[in-house]
Amino acid sequence: HTCRHTCRHMAQPSLRRALRGLLVLLSCGLWYHSSPADSVMVEATPEDLLVVGAGYLGRRVAQLWREKSKVKVVAATMTEKSHEALRQEGLEPILASDLKASKLKFSQVVFCAPPSRGEASDYAKSVTDALEHLAEGGIGVFTSSA
């Protein structure tokens, strides 16, 4: 089908532009988070990145971040299904449930998870849970590919 073929090729440059823009937002500090003084950074450097939702968009963001800065990128997923592939890409996978139970803090958090089939409040809670791992003064970015 011609339209689908054309649309797919037209979407590629805009995805690249969006990802470049996302990296610029991360490096410029679009969204700052302030937390209580007792917040503790655990095993994260200022350049490390947490990607919540390591599907197509989340993986592209993670790959571009690793290419740019060669630092640790932690990829949170709902299941372990893609963990081996993520490891092979140089990412550190973690189950979202394990992340939620941890005290890990990151200077950069990108939320790329799609809404589940649940209620909108569940999705909002997922975003809030992800931002719980944002270190004081850190940068958070919410993405939507819908």
Side-chain angles (χ1 to χ4, degrees):
H1 183 269
T2 305
C3 179
R4 192 172 78 205
H5 176 73
T6 303
C7 294
R8 185 175 62 230
H9 288 290
M10 288 174 61
Q12 259 327 336
S14 41
L15 176 60
R16 274 189 233 125
R17 277 194 304 275
L19 290 172
R20 266 191 238 116
L22 180 59
L23 290 175
V24 168
L25 292 174
L26 283 171
S27 62
C28 293
L30 168 71
W31 176 356
Y32 288 93
H33 172 70
S34 187
S35 62
D38 61 349
S39 108
V40 177
M41 287 282 286
V42 179
E43 296 182 53
T45 71
E47 293 286 317
D48 290 342
L49 173 69
L50 170 64
V51 175
V52 177
Y56 177 77
L57 180 59
R59 282 171 115 152
R60 282 297 294 144
V61 169
Q63 289 165 351
L64 290 171
W65 192 262
R66 291 241 335 127
E67 289 171 12
K68 176 184 179 262
S69 55
K70 306 290 186 214
V71 296
K72 176 171 54 179
V73 177
V74 176
T77 62
M78 294 300 288
T79 69
E80 293 181 349
K81 188 171 118 179
S82 62
H83 282 197
E84 187 54 40
L86 292 169
R87 281 187 201 94
Q88 289 175 3
E89 294 172 22
L91 308 176
E92 296 186 23
I94 187 170
L95 284 172
S97 57
D98 292 341
L99 176 66
K100 186 175 179 178
S102 78
K103 294 190 184 294
L104 291 172
K105 296 285 185 180
F106 295 84
S107 296
Q108 283 84 217
V109 175
V110 178
F111 187 88
C112 297
S116 65
R117 293 191 175 124
E119 304 221 1
S121 61
D122 294 340
Y123 190 57
K125 175 103 171 74
S126 297
V127 175
T128 302
D129 289 348
L131 293 176
E132 289 295 320
H133 298 285
L134 188 58
E136 183 175 350
I139 303 162
V141 176
F142 173 84
T143 67
S144 175
S145 59

